Amino acid sequence: MNIREEVEKREYEYLSPFATKSAESKGRAMDEEKCSIRTDFQRDRDRIVHSKAFRRLMHKTQVFLAPEGDHYRTRLTHTIEVSQIARTIARGAGLNEDLAEAIAMGHDLGHTPFGHSGESVLAEIYPKGFRHNVQSLRVVDVLESGSKRRGMNLTQEVRDGILNHTGSTVPMTPEGQIVKVSDRIAYINHDIDDAIRSGIITVGDLPKESIEILGDTHKKRIDTLVRDMIEHSYGKPTAQLSEEKMSAMNELRTFMFKNVYHNSNVKKVEDINKVRDIVESLYNYYLENWQLLPKELLAMKDEYDIEELVKDHVAGMTDRYAINTYEEITKNYKRFF
């Protein structure tokens, strides 16, 4: 019995005609023998979840730099929340839940240490610029290699969803479109939760009109947005929120940028300067001492320039590994230079 073929057959029976069917995937860059149990999208999800890059998300900052408390989100918990929201919407709208989950699990694999603060520094010092979504695609295409292949060799649909989960480009599948919105639903609402917990803002500070539309609690806001997206995506070729709910969510996002993301109490100047010093120092150190890069990166030096490989190494670091490495190289500065 071929379980995968049975699953693929059932997708035509219960999914929306606009859903991305596993059997109709545009395929992989390198042909592979099909799994007898899992569909291609399920297989992609598993490759991502079992990767080293996915495990490192546990120790990468979401918003708060070095938070004092056990309940603040990390890049991994954010990823899980995005996946949960995307899967719920996909299931409710009759779309491919496995594809949505695979994209969600892989969308932030390229994030730097220290969240967007680290990303901003790397974008400045790496000559070709840096965007975490582009780096996420590089992680799955090149940096996470199996025993017999370069990269994860994911399907085109998952790769497209990862690359286009942020920015102005619309993902080519409705499932990718779901993840793009689910990412925003997740981070705006869980960052509000973390900001209230930290005392940076109070519930009363939130924009009243947005709260009246979306709800006055974390649970109500997510429920409202999930239900709205299901309603406006069911039986349609694209997945989207209603104009009213999207506008209310964007108002919350604007509030968060003004009062939290750019708030000096959240990211103190001295902390941002520390991030800059660490990221710049690591980048320059490995640029001068490229022979000390991990062996898997050194194996690619004939294919990619050293600056790109150094960028890959620094971007892949967890917060604590970056700090520990920085302390080690500055302590032994004279020995290496």
Side-chain angles (χ1 to χ4, degrees):
M1 179 177 66
N2 190 304
I3 297 173
R4 171 185 54 79
E5 291 180 354
E6 288 296 317
V7 173
E8 290 175 343
K9 180 180 177 181
R10 289 201 300 271
E11 286 183 353
Y12 287 97
E13 298 171 356
Y14 67 80
L15 291 184
S16 162
F18 300 109
T20 307
K21 312 302 190 298
S22 302
E24 296 178 9
S25 170
K26 296 182 183 298
R28 309 177 187 278
M30 295 175 285
D31 289 337
E32 294 183 14
E33 183 179 351
K34 297 280 188 179
C35 177
S36 63
I37 298 175
R38 298 167 297 166
T39 68
D40 284 349
F41 300 145
Q42 290 173 335
R43 206 174 186 188
D44 283 359
R45 174 205 59 206
D46 293 350
R47 287 179 181 179
I48 291 167
V49 170
H50 288 283
S51 69
K52 297 187 295 294
F54 185 80
R55 295 195 293 275
R56 289 197 298 270
L57 295 177
M58 176 171 58
H59 297 294
K60 291 196 176 191
T61 290
Q62 176 65 21
V63 171
F64 291 80
L65 298 174
E68 295 181 4
D70 294 335
H71 300 128
Y72 292 95
R73 270 73 172 190
T74 65
R75 191 62 60 180
L76 179 60
T77 57
H78 163 71
T79 295
I80 293 170
E81 289 184 35
V82 174
S83 175
Q84 178 269 320
I85 291 169
R87 286 175 55 228
T88 301
I89 295 171
R91 184 181 297 180
L95 298 172
N96 196 314
E97 188 177 341
D98 294 326
L99 174 56
E101 183 178 25
I103 295 169
M105 288 299 191
H107 81 284
D108 269 356
L109 292 179
H111 251 296
T112 63
F114 312 113
H116 289 289
S117 297
E119 180 176 10
S120 296
V121 176
L122 204 51
E124 290 178 23
I125 62 178
Y126 177 57
K128 297 179 182 178
F130 184 91
R131 290 187 296 148
H132 76 269
N133 56 316
V134 175
Q135 186 68 13
S136 293
L137 188 63
R138 181 164 168 79
V139 169
V140 301
D141 280 354
V142 177
L143 302 178
E144 281 281 346
S145 297
S147 58
K148 298 180 180 179
R149 63 174 187 272
R150 170 68 58 80
M152 297 186 195
N153 195 32
L154 303 182
T155 58
Q156 290 189 40
E157 292 82 1
V158 173
R159 294 178 64 255
D160 171 83
I162 289 172
L163 178 63
N164 295 311
H165 80 270
T166 188
S168 58
T169 307
V170 178
M172 67 183 187
T173 66
E175 292 83 3
Q177 295 158 21
I178 284 174
V179 174
K180 192 181 185 85
V181 177
S182 296
D183 182 35
R184 186 164 291 194
I185 292 173
Y187 79 70
I188 290 172
N189 285 288
H190 65 49
D191 291 349
I192 288 173
D193 191 38
D194 282 351
I196 291 172
R197 176 179 292 108
S198 70
I200 298 298
I201 61 173
T202 67
V203 174
D205 295 327
L206 297 172
K208 290 181 172 55
E209 187 175 344
S210 293
I211 297 306
E212 288 174 1
I213 293 171
L214 300 178
D216 59 1
T217 67
H218 178 78
K219 178 180 178 180
K220 288 178 182 178
R221 286 189 294 273
I222 291 180
D223 184 70
T224 297
L225 290 164
V226 167
R227 289 177 182 273
D228 183 82
M229 193 161 188
I230 290 172
E231 179 184 346
H232 288 85
S233 304
Y234 187 83
K236 297 178 181 178
T238 57
Q240 58 192 349
L241 285 169
S242 67
E243 191 171 319
E244 179 193 39
K245 301 301 189 296
M246 177 64 83
S247 178
M249 184 175 71
N250 286 340
E251 185 181 1
L252 277 181
R253 183 174 182 267
T254 299
F255 168 86
M256 290 297 288
F257 269 95
K258 180 180 178 181
N259 295 280
V260 177
Y261 302 143
H262 295 158
N263 187 316
S264 60
N265 290 323
V266 176
K267 296 180 179 177
K268 298 179 176 63
V269 173
E270 56 267 34
D271 288 338
I272 293 176
N273 288 339
K274 287 178 185 176
V275 168
R276 176 172 295 279
D277 187 29
I278 292 171
V279 174
E280 284 187 351
S281 296
L282 291 170
Y283 183 86
N284 291 328
Y285 173 78
Y286 282 105
L287 204 57
E288 293 291 330
N289 299 273
W290 58 266
Q291 301 91 338
L292 298 177
L293 288 170
K295 61 181 181 180
E296 58 268 23
L297 290 177
L298 289 176
M300 303 181 199
K301 64 182 178 63
D302 293 333
E303 301 174 65
Y304 304 100
D305 60 57
I306 293 300
E307 284 188 326
E308 182 157 22
L309 297 178
V310 169
K311 174 265 297 179
D312 291 336
H313 185 46
V314 175
M317 292 180 175
T318 62
D319 294 26
R320 65 182 185 181
Y321 182 75
I323 292 170
N324 291 340
T325 305
Y326 168 80
E327 291 177 347
E328 183 64 25
I329 65 174
T330 52
K331 181 177 66 176
N332 297 315
Y333 188 87
K334 292 182 179 179
R335 188 177 72 184
F336 288 112
F337 289 85

